[in-house]
Amino acid sequence: MSERLDVSKKTASFIGGAFPRSSPNAPARRSTLPAGWSPRRRPRVATQATGRPRRAQRPGGWAGRTAYNRGQILYRGRDDRGPAESFAARLAVDGRKAKAASREVDAAIDRLVWYAGWCDKLAQTIGNLNPVAGPFFNISSPEPTGVVGLVCPEEPPLLAMVSRLAPILVPGNSAVVVASERWPLAAVTLAEALATADVPAGVVNVLTGRKEELLPFLAGHMDVNALDLWDVDDEVARSLEVAAAENVKRLHRGPSDLDWTDDAAAQSPWAIAAFTETKTVWHPKGL
């Protein structure tokens, strides 16, 4: 019997609901442990990843869904245990012990469910009927910011990613996710789960590669409305702030010492509000 060779799986980025093949000349990086290959995406590919989420903002897209429907779709992410087992296996390959990997998956599912419950409650919490001196109604309501670039925290790769991606999706935003550079397999496994889920294509797009190559492109791109930065050093963050200011892009930078297992610190409706815009409507009162 001939000897069998161990063929590593080459993981791919997830763009517009599909897994485009990397160019034959595109460099790839080996994940920290022999779990697969993670292609480094160049800005040319990142351009596709910004165009697809913009389509999700059109009428009838993710932003146009009812809040209740978005909540249903996000909540269903917890129903199938198959992807959960795949997540745990990938996290274990990334160096975590099996029990720790399983706990992280369970925590990530709980966090997704928590945020899903906010979909149809957000408007009543951060919206308002404002008092005015005159015969008018003045109503403020939250709307999605648009396309948000999420630079994932490095660790824990799954729980931290879900903790930041969920509040982006709740109000109807679409996302371009730059995966953890050191541990990309959690993001790739999430993409594989989304490919067969009810989340519309283009709402979540995942890029693997080096942050130093992808972040300047996202910060300067006119089709990206906001950036959520994690585990980015001060010098890089300052350059991104300058690039974002030139196109009036909202930029949020998270603390490096956040405990992602602490519910009080890592989940909040105000995390959702950070990626909303407030629309104020005036309407005359009837006499």
PDB file of all heavy atoms in Angstrom, residues 28 46 116 132 157 275:
ATOM      1  N   ALA A  28       0.956  33.335   0.023  1.00  0.00           N
ATOM      2  CA  ALA A  28       0.127  32.742   1.068  1.00  0.00           C
ATOM      3  C   ALA A  28       0.973  32.588   2.312  1.00  0.00           C
ATOM      4  O   ALA A  28       2.193  32.573   2.264  1.00  0.00           O
ATOM      5  CB  ALA A  28      -0.436  31.390   0.630  1.00  0.00           C
ATOM      6  N   ALA A  46      -9.516  43.152  -2.237  1.00  0.00           N
ATOM      7  CA  ALA A  46     -10.267  43.900  -1.228  1.00  0.00           C
ATOM      8  C   ALA A  46     -11.285  44.833  -1.880  1.00  0.00           C
ATOM      9  O   ALA A  46     -12.313  45.149  -1.292  1.00  0.00           O
ATOM     10  CB  ALA A  46      -9.310  44.702  -0.355  1.00  0.00           C
ATOM     11  N   ALA A 116     -28.772  39.285  18.823  1.00  0.00           N
ATOM     12  CA  ALA A 116     -29.935  39.068  17.957  1.00  0.00           C
ATOM     13  C   ALA A 116     -31.205  39.590  18.621  1.00  0.00           C
ATOM     14  O   ALA A 116     -32.089  40.140  17.954  1.00  0.00           O
ATOM     15  CB  ALA A 116     -30.074  37.579  17.636  1.00  0.00           C
ATOM     16  N   VAL A 132     -40.535  69.373  21.620  1.00  0.00           N
ATOM     17  CA  VAL A 132     -40.253  70.607  20.873  1.00  0.00           C
ATOM     18  C   VAL A 132     -41.309  71.647  21.212  1.00  0.00           C
ATOM     19  O   VAL A 132     -42.437  71.322  21.594  1.00  0.00           O
ATOM     20  CB  VAL A 132     -40.228  70.364  19.352  1.00  0.00           C
ATOM     21  CG1 VAL A 132     -39.062  69.475  18.962  1.00  0.00           C
ATOM     22  CG2 VAL A 132     -41.539  69.742  18.876  1.00  0.00           C
ATOM     23  N   PRO A 157      -9.917  34.387  19.034  1.00  0.00           N
ATOM     24  CA  PRO A 157     -10.268  34.691  17.651  1.00  0.00           C
ATOM     25  C   PRO A 157     -11.744  34.585  17.315  1.00  0.00           C
ATOM     26  O   PRO A 157     -12.258  35.376  16.522  1.00  0.00           O
ATOM     27  CB  PRO A 157      -9.439  33.680  16.856  1.00  0.00           C
ATOM     28  CG  PRO A 157      -9.128  32.584  17.821  1.00  0.00           C
ATOM     29  CD  PRO A 157      -9.020  33.233  19.149  1.00  0.00           C
ATOM     30  N   PHE A 275     -22.453  52.118  15.526  1.00  0.00           N
ATOM     31  CA  PHE A 275     -22.502  51.919  14.078  1.00  0.00           C
ATOM     32  C   PHE A 275     -23.880  52.258  13.516  1.00  0.00           C
ATOM     33  O   PHE A 275     -24.373  51.620  12.589  1.00  0.00           O
ATOM     34  CB  PHE A 275     -22.112  50.481  13.742  1.00  0.00           C
ATOM     35  CG  PHE A 275     -20.753  50.130  14.269  1.00  0.00           C
ATOM     36  CD1 PHE A 275     -20.613  49.286  15.352  1.00  0.00           C
ATOM     37  CD2 PHE A 275     -19.613  50.688  13.713  1.00  0.00           C
ATOM     38  CE1 PHE A 275     -19.369  48.981  15.863  1.00  0.00           C
ATOM     39  CE2 PHE A 275     -18.361  50.393  14.220  1.00  0.00           C
ATOM     40  CZ  PHE A 275     -18.233  49.540  15.295  1.00  0.00           C
TER      41      PHE A 275
END
